[in-house]
Amino acid sequence: MPQSLPSAPSSDTSPTPQGRIARQAILNVDQAVFGYELFDRSVSPNQHSAASDAQLLFNMLSSADAQSLGTCKTLFLNCTHDSLAGGYLDLIAPERAVLEIPAMPTSEMDQIETRLAGLQDVKRRGFRMAFDYSVLTQPYESWLPLASFIKLDLSLLKPDVLSSFVRLAQQNSHAQLIAEKVETAAQHQLLSDLGVKLFQGFWFARPIIVPGQAVRPAQANILQLINLVRKQASTNDIEDLLKRDPTLSFNLLRFINSAGFGARSEVTSFKHAVMLLGLNRLFKWAALLLTSAKAGDTPPAVGTTAVVRGRLMELLATETLPAEDWDNAFVVGVFSMLDTMLGISMAEAMATLTLPDAVTHALLHQSGPLAPLLALTIACEVGDDAAFTIAIQGLGLSNNQVNWAHLQALAWAETLSRDAA
């Protein structure tokens, strides 16, 4: 876990146009994160051309921490045909990106063949491309061999039509299929049965409330550890809990002896581990561990999303709040999906923990100093322009600051998931 926070770029030093980045996870068949689609959604879209929006996105990617971002999942980038010809592709490595290519407007169908040469050049340069389901229709026959991914929009395609498009793709291309705008478990099951293995949508982040459901033992011990730390319990009490749960203690020793932590010699004592880590970092470690604990059918991507939220809120807090609130910002972000992780309501989940009022108010009542950061963090995942605008203006943050922190949070979460594998 990082010992300190890097500094974000100032709000006005970047030469790139102003814009904002939103993300949505793309999950594999195991419901783990396969990649992220990044959206460039401007507060005032009419002020940006397609080329300037593409330039912003690519420049933000190239200016992020190259080493950290290099460990990220595949990034799906929305493009325009004009931006593909603008030279911006030189800013990113082909192996890191999938370019999402839009279909031609109805009034410009005569340009399908005209655009073919440019798309073939993008393919020769090593970029993978994703197209929507229209690439399976006859007018786009020449584009189909270029597709590495084909996206099926469930908000547009009815179930009886979906099976036909899936069969067409399987018979006529080698592209991987992505079902997008998946809203329910039933939709997910339908597409899985048809052989689709990549999914995008909100269904995985919505809790299924099961009355009376108990917290599983592993989670119960993690929650107990969090409570002990928040109450500043003695090292002996914390050590006793670790001794009762071999899995919990194993994970702690593995973490503290990892290269990333930087201990000078191997730590084998639970008491030594607790003293070396300190209560603040022990709390953060336990919160992260909770996101990866198994809870029924909770998708692994839920934990990843929670970690991204926590890190993003922490980074944004360094720009807007006193230092004593930074850890609380991280906790709010990580615990903002606690209801989904545990399969119970947020109120029930919060009743199992002893947390500062600022954290509780943000999670239960969307109030207090941390609530605007949480609202902004959630707005980064979706296309809620109104929520983003209100949050960013209220916090006094620039688009560049938010974009920078967002990309850093994605990279950091990927580093954590890689180390835990």
Side-chain angles (χ1 to χ4, degrees):
M1 189 175 299
Q3 301 289 322
S4 60
L5 299 174
S7 298
S10 63
S11 58
D12 299 315
T13 56
S14 171
T16 62
Q18 293 290 300
R20 67 180 177 89
I21 293 176
R23 77 176 188 279
Q24 191 171 60
I26 296 173
L27 311 186
N28 63 20
V29 70
D30 297 319
Q31 299 188 35
V33 175
F34 171 81
Y36 292 100
E37 180 175 357
L38 300 185
F39 304 87
D40 181 18
R41 292 199 169 123
S42 303
V43 175
S44 300
N46 294 333
Q47 298 178 2
H48 301 284
S49 66
S52 66
D53 286 343
Q55 183 179 13
L56 165 69
L57 186 56
F58 293 133
N59 281 356
M60 285 301 301
L61 288 170
S62 66
S63 66
D65 182 343
Q67 184 176 359
S68 297
L69 198 56
T71 68
C72 262
K73 304 292 186 185
T74 300
L75 301 178
F76 287 70
L77 310 178
N78 284 260
C79 301
T80 67
H81 290 279
D82 290 337
S83 67
L84 292 177
Y88 311 125
L89 297 185
D90 295 336
L91 300 175
I92 55 176
E95 63 272 13
R96 287 163 49 189
V98 174
L99 307 181
E100 296 209 17
I101 310 299
M104 301 304 299
T106 304
S107 61
E108 300 177 15
M109 295 291 285
D110 58 333
Q111 294 190 28
I112 291 176
E113 293 306 313
T114 304
R115 299 290 186 178
L116 179 60
L119 296 176
Q120 290 172 332
D121 180 63
V122 169
K123 182 81 169 181
R124 280 193 295 269
R125 295 172 66 176
F127 286 96
R128 291 167 292 169
M129 287 179 281
F131 299 88
D132 67 21
Y133 64 90
S134 62
V135 78
L136 295 167
T137 61
Q138 192 277 329
Y140 292 91
E141 185 178 2
S142 61
W143 287 19
L144 184 56
L146 304 176
S148 295
F149 299 89
I150 297 174
K151 304 189 77 172
L152 305 172
D153 188 336
L154 268 65
S155 69
L156 300 176
L157 297 175
K158 302 303 179 185
D160 56 335
V161 178
L162 273 172
S163 58
S164 299
F165 276 105
V166 170
R167 283 196 300 271
L168 278 173
Q170 293 169 339
Q171 293 169 2
N172 299 306
S173 79
H174 299 289
Q176 296 185 67
L177 299 180
I178 302 174
E180 63 177 344
K181 299 185 181 176
V182 182
E183 301 290 340
T184 67
Q187 289 178 321
H188 175 249
Q189 187 62 53
L190 170 65
L191 273 297
S192 296
D193 292 343
L194 291 173
V196 176
K197 297 181 178 179
L198 295 174
F199 307 89
Q200 185 176 356
F202 297 133
W203 101 94
F204 76 92
R206 292 180 176 174
I208 299 174
I209 306 301
V210 181
Q213 178 176 327
V215 179
R216 292 169 176 260
Q219 293 173 321
N221 285 340
I222 298 171
L223 289 170
Q224 187 176 351
L225 175 59
I226 290 172
N227 272 330
L228 287 173
V229 173
R230 291 305 305 184
K231 294 175 181 178
Q232 297 188 343
S234 69
T235 303
N236 288 337
D237 288 340
I238 295 174
E239 182 185 23
D240 287 342
L241 174 62
L242 292 171
K243 288 178 177 177
R244 293 198 303 269
D245 190 328
T247 303
L248 191 61
S249 57
F250 169 78
N251 276 282
L252 176 59
L253 291 179
R254 185 176 67 170
F255 167 73
I256 209 164
N257 286 310
S258 68
F261 184 79
R264 295 185 179 181
S265 59
E266 187 175 7
V267 177
T268 57
S269 160
F270 299 152
K271 182 176 291 187
H272 186 197
V274 172
M275 294 176 66
L276 189 62
L277 195 59
L279 291 183
N280 285 338
R281 283 194 291 177
L282 182 60
F283 179 87
K284 186 174 291 188
W285 173 82
L288 289 172
L289 185 62
L290 182 64
T291 69
S292 63
K294 298 297 182 182
D297 297 325
T298 300
V302 171
T304 303
T305 300
V307 169
V308 172
R309 286 187 182 182
R311 181 59 171 165
L312 177 54
M313 283 193 63
E314 182 180 42
L315 290 171
L316 294 177
T318 66
E319 301 291 327
T320 59
L321 296 174
E324 58 266 23
D325 290 327
W326 296 352
D327 282 340
N328 284 341
F330 176 87
V331 172
V332 169
V334 169
F335 282 0
S336 65
M337 301 194 74
L338 201 58
D339 52 351
T340 301
M341 286 188 281
L342 301 182
I344 58 181
S345 70
M346 182 62 75
E348 291 175 294
M350 295 300 291
T352 66
L353 295 166
T354 302
L355 295 170
D357 288 343
V359 174
T360 302
H361 290 162
L363 291 172
L364 288 181
H365 310 297
Q366 295 75 53
S367 64
L370 298 173
L373 284 178
L374 178 59
L376 175 56
T377 297
I378 294 174
C380 285
E381 300 173 15
V382 297
D384 192 337
D385 291 337
F388 182 89
T389 301
I390 292 171
I392 198 172
Q393 290 179 349
L395 291 165
L397 291 168
S398 72
N399 291 321
N400 278 355
Q401 287 173 301
V402 177
N403 289 340
W404 173 89
H406 197 171
L407 293 172
Q408 294 295 322
L410 289 169
W412 188 71
E414 172 57 19
T415 300
L416 286 182
S417 63
R418 186 188 68 242
D419 291 344

